[in-house]
Amino acid sequence: MTHAQSRLRRSTWLRTLRGVLACLTVAVPALSGCTGAGAQAPKEPVVDTSPPKGKAFFDPPKPLPAGKPGAVIRQRPFTSPELKLTTKSHTFLVMYLSTGPDGKPVPATGLVTIPDGPAPAGGRPVAAVDHGTMGIGSECSPSRMPAFAGLYDDSAAGKLLARGFVVVQPDYIGLGVTGIRHPYLNGRSAAYATLDMLRAVRQVEPKAGSTALVFGGSQGGHAALWTAHYATAYAPDLKLKGVVANAPAVGFEWMPDLFAEQSTVATPYAGMLLTLINGAAAGDPAVEPAKLLTPKALVAADQQWTEPCMSGETKIPPPQDVLLPDADLGPLNAALKANATNQVTTKLPLLLPQGGNDVLSGLNRALAQELCDKGVDLEFRHYPDQGHTISDAPLEEAIAWMNDRYAGKPFTAGCTF
């Protein structure tokens, strides 16, 4: 991207930031996301045969059991009044091994929902559904907040189940599991959590295969794109056939500098700046909140880890009392830019459905063009009457696109707008 293009994209982002920040949290419920017969799951057995009850399930064993990424640590049946599926199915809460941003083993959690009845001869197709922003505390996950798991008929998860897919919903690293901080919008972390849950599903449902697809929206769209980026190198044992990224999070790499300039576009959203700093620090030790934030802002940032999800209860200091006057934003900017969606490269087919009534519409069209210019094969679908989260016929079209990739229908190389 040229310097002029970068300035234009930054200018567009300035005009749309307010809606972007709101959209990251409004659409979570709708994001609830050819199998190879005989596919091999990680060989480690389920370690915990008597999983803890209640919230104690989310406390990981110490030390962590040895195993490969994707090995199941524990599982138990999952039920909730918020599960409203007419497709007969059963759901498990699962803790599994993944890899943290530092490359070390880390526990992760998520949900696995399996259609009832016999599996087809070739095994069950599998799809991951990556969720949108719910908060950064450990409670802020689909497995802990079932109302946001999207397990109802008109959601992505519900529509995939109706087509016979096993649906996995990763909480992401640091959400669900206690004692680990969530590296918000860290591409590697989100990708690894998704890919390792696609591995883990084969221990939960032996009839699931290694061929998979991914659906995600908002924060989940960001996660889905990075899953496509890392799939071949990190999980060559999986056969990922395509990715749908609805309105992926975009443009936040510009926010710290705008805030430092006291831009009136950015300053009303000091809480989001703190979230970005928290997430970046959780994924990169070079980002140190204490070297960026005033004492009052540092207290507020710490409170975000324990505040009720999406509550906005943390008391944020005035904009001029958030960043230290001499704060070096270099490490923070580097972390955010390294994890921006425009850094993704992949040879996998992508579908980017985008609502025209979403303030991200222009930015994500520009993102699609930028990815296309790098040689990524994608289809950008614009729905003028849709908002941040696609629904109804556009969602059904996205699920049909995933089913076509599973069925082996050819995807035309190049880009379609």
Side-chain angles (χ1 to χ4, degrees):
M1 182 169 59
T2 66
H3 180 63
Q5 289 173 322
S6 178
R7 290 182 62 188
L8 177 61
R9 194 161 177 250
R10 182 181 188 270
S11 175
T12 304
W13 186 80
L14 284 171
R15 296 194 299 270
T16 59
L17 176 62
R18 290 185 178 88
V20 174
L21 296 170
C23 284
L24 277 173
T25 58
V26 297
V28 178
L31 300 177
S32 352
C34 316
T35 57
Q40 296 298 309
K43 294 182 180 301
E44 291 78 15
V46 175
V47 173
D48 196 339
T49 57
S50 300
K53 296 180 179 180
K55 292 185 177 181
F57 182 95
F58 297 96
D59 299 331
K62 296 181 180 180
L64 283 177
K68 297 178 181 178
V72 172
I73 297 172
R74 60 176 63 137
Q75 69 183 61
R76 73 182 188 200
F78 178 90
T79 186
S80 170
E82 283 85 2
L83 273 62
K84 299 178 180 179
L85 294 164
T86 56
T87 300
K88 293 184 177 180
S89 58
H90 50 290
T91 300
F92 292 94
L93 172 60
V94 178
M95 181 181 288
Y96 59 99
L97 286 173
S98 189
T99 306
D102 59 359
K104 297 178 181 179
V106 66
T109 52
L111 300 176
V112 176
T113 303
I114 306 164
D116 289 348
R124 299 188 193 276
V126 182
V129 176
D130 286 334
H131 66 82
T133 299
M134 302 166 67
I136 60 172
S138 61
E139 295 275 350
C140 305
S141 67
S143 64
R144 289 212 188 201
M145 298 178 67
F148 292 93
L151 288 174
Y152 54 89
D153 289 348
D154 291 334
S155 69
K159 290 180 180 294
L160 287 163
L161 283 166
R163 289 178 178 264
F165 282 81
V166 176
V167 175
V168 305
Q169 295 174 272
D171 291 333
Y172 307 144
I173 305 302
L175 300 181
V177 168
T178 57
I180 301 170
R181 291 195 163 184
H182 172 51
Y184 182 67
L185 295 184
N186 180 284
R188 184 190 302 269
S189 166
Y192 287 2
T194 302
L195 293 165
D196 286 330
M197 192 157 202
L198 288 170
R199 288 165 159 161
V201 69
R202 287 174 277 158
Q203 288 179 259
V204 181
E205 167 54 294
K207 296 294 185 181
S210 62
T211 300
L213 296 110
V214 179
F215 180 101
S218 198
Q219 180 186 359
H222 174 277
L225 288 176
W226 280 104
T227 299
H229 178 90
Y230 282 109
T232 301
Y234 181 72
D237 50 308
L238 296 176
K239 300 180 181 68
L240 197 58
K241 292 295 185 181
V243 168
V244 176
N246 169 215
V250 62
F252 288 99
E253 63 271 25
W254 294 307
M255 190 171 187
D257 283 338
L258 289 170
F259 205 95
E261 297 165 5
Q262 289 293 285
S263 165
T264 56
V265 175
T267 52
Y269 303 101
M272 176 54 74
L273 177 65
L274 298 185
T275 300
L276 293 172
I277 291 173
N278 277 329
D284 185 347
V287 179
E288 300 179 67
K291 293 184 178 180
L292 299 171
L293 300 172
T294 65
K296 290 182 179 179
L298 192 60
V299 169
D302 286 341
Q303 290 174 346
Q304 284 191 334
W305 296 108
T306 55
E307 73 175 355
C309 306
M310 299 186 298
S311 69
E313 290 184 0
T314 296
K315 186 176 180 180
I316 308 295
Q320 65 273 17
D321 194 21
V322 172
L323 289 174
L324 291 169
D326 58 348
D328 178 8
L329 298 178
L332 173 62
N333 286 335
L336 295 178
K337 289 175 182 177
N339 290 282
T341 44
N342 64 354
Q343 298 301 306
V344 166
T345 59
T346 183
K347 296 299 183 183
L348 295 171
L350 300 182
L351 174 65
L352 279 68
Q354 178 65 54
N357 289 331
D358 176 20
V359 293
L360 288 177
S361 182
L363 286 175
N364 273 323
R365 187 180 185 90
L367 169 66
Q369 186 62 60
E370 197 169 346
L371 296 177
C372 180
D373 291 344
K374 293 197 296 184
V376 175
D377 296 328
L378 62 85
E379 183 176 353
F380 180 86
R381 293 183 183 175
H382 182 257
Y383 298 98
D385 297 329
Q386 291 281 308
H388 185 58
T389 301
I390 57 169
S391 60
D392 303 322
L395 177 58
E396 187 60 47
E397 290 176 12
I399 302 305
W401 184 94
M402 295 174 72
N403 200 63
D404 286 346
R405 305 288 77 75
Y406 158 65
K409 292 186 179 180
F411 179 81
T412 303
C415 302
T416 304
F417 289 83

